[in-house]
Amino acid sequence: GSALLDLCCGPGRHAVEFAKKGLAVTGYDFSGEYLEEAAARAKKKKVSLRLLRGDMRGLKFEGEFDAAVNLFTSFGYFPKFSDDLRTLKGVARALKPGGLFLLDIINGDFLDNNFKARDWHEQGDHYLLEERTDDRDGVFNTWTRIPKKGGKILERSFFTRKYGKKRMSAALLKAGLKPLKFWGGFQGKPLTSKSIRLIVLARKGR
């Protein structure tokens, strides 16, 4: 089957489904725990995955894949734009001439139009407080997990760079990937400023 790179494959939910379709899937992730979960999932579903651990900024592949995917907002967390560009250039190098890249992220234009500085969520046995600080480049997030019945309060901070259609197109082109089509969701809806997701299909030059 065709060779597919699942970049930031996580616990292998998508990678296993691709493998079931007959693709030769390489799952790549920074988390060893996620890769162990992916291996267990593949074994349970009786499919074969090649699983590799590494930093997405340091991809070493050269013209190996027919296609690559990066799904469920696994892109745009590095403080420097140059790191995002390094990642995209690594994807371009990894693809064969004419290879395709599908990227799925939060729509930056939606974030601009629907910014909330604070949100509370009730999730099972805990509450989740989401606090955000917005600037032109992205959003600084702090998530605080508060148990309902006492216990350790957990806090996590991270940055998300905002990519709308224009900015994403420019970044892809700079990396050697030509955007072919944008969508506002996996149902195939057109991308608008009201779309929560931004999905783009790009191609490496032949």
Side-chain angles (χ1 to χ4, degrees):
S2 298
L4 174 76
L5 172 64
D6 186 353
L7 184 60
C8 302
C9 66
R13 186 161 55 96
H14 300 110
V16 164
E17 293 303 315
F18 288 130
K20 284 166 66 176
K21 298 291 185 183
L23 299 175
V25 181
T26 295
Y28 192 95
D29 205 282
F30 188 71
S31 168
E33 289 183 6
Y34 273 158
L35 292 174
E36 287 177 9
E37 286 187 49
R41 188 187 296 262
K43 184 177 180 180
K44 183 177 180 180
K45 297 294 183 180
K46 298 180 180 178
V47 296
S48 177
L49 296 179
R50 178 173 68 152
L51 297 170
L52 301 174
R53 185 173 186 269
D55 188 319
M56 66 195 298
R57 292 169 290 188
L59 296 176
K60 305 295 185 186
F61 307 108
E62 296 279 350
E64 186 172 334
F65 299 99
D66 298 286
V69 296
N70 180 258
L71 303 172
F72 205 58
T73 315
S74 301
F75 178 82
Y77 292 102
F78 298 120
K80 295 180 180 178
F81 170 72
S82 58
D83 286 326
D84 286 358
L85 190 58
R86 275 179 64 190
T87 300
L88 293 175
K89 286 181 176 179
V91 170
R93 274 196 314 275
L95 291 171
K96 297 175 183 177
L100 296 171
F101 177 45
L102 186 73
L103 177 64
D104 160 42
I105 57 174
I106 292 288
N107 181 12
D109 293 334
F110 174 84
L111 291 177
D112 278 336
N113 295 326
N114 296 273
F115 178 76
K116 288 184 179 180
R118 173 181 281 217
D119 260 337
W120 281 97
H121 304 281
E122 187 174 357
Q123 297 183 339
D125 62 353
H126 66 275
Y127 298 103
L128 181 67
L129 170 62
E130 297 182 12
E131 297 174 290
R132 307 175 187 90
T133 304
D134 189 30
D135 72 12
R136 195 168 68 176
D137 190 42
V139 179
F140 296 91
N141 307 269
T142 300
W143 289 3
T144 306
R145 187 179 186 275
I146 305 168
K148 289 181 179 179
K149 297 182 179 180
K152 189 175 182 180
I153 295 175
L154 301 176
E155 187 174 285
R156 176 187 172 215
S157 297
F158 59 96
F159 172 78
T160 310
R161 183 163 289 102
K162 291 186 289 189
Y163 283 100
K165 182 178 181 179
K166 185 176 179 181
R167 190 179 194 188
M168 193 74 255
S169 294
L172 287 166
L173 287 168
K174 202 166 186 178
L177 296 163
K178 182 180 179 181
L180 300 177
K181 191 161 185 178
F182 285 85
W183 297 273
F186 281 105
Q187 297 77 24
K189 294 179 181 178
L191 176 67
T192 71
S193 60
K194 295 180 180 179
S195 304
I196 297 176
R197 307 215 63 76
L198 181 156
I199 300 169
V200 56
L201 181 68
R203 174 180 282 143
K204 179 179 178 175
R206 296 183 184 278

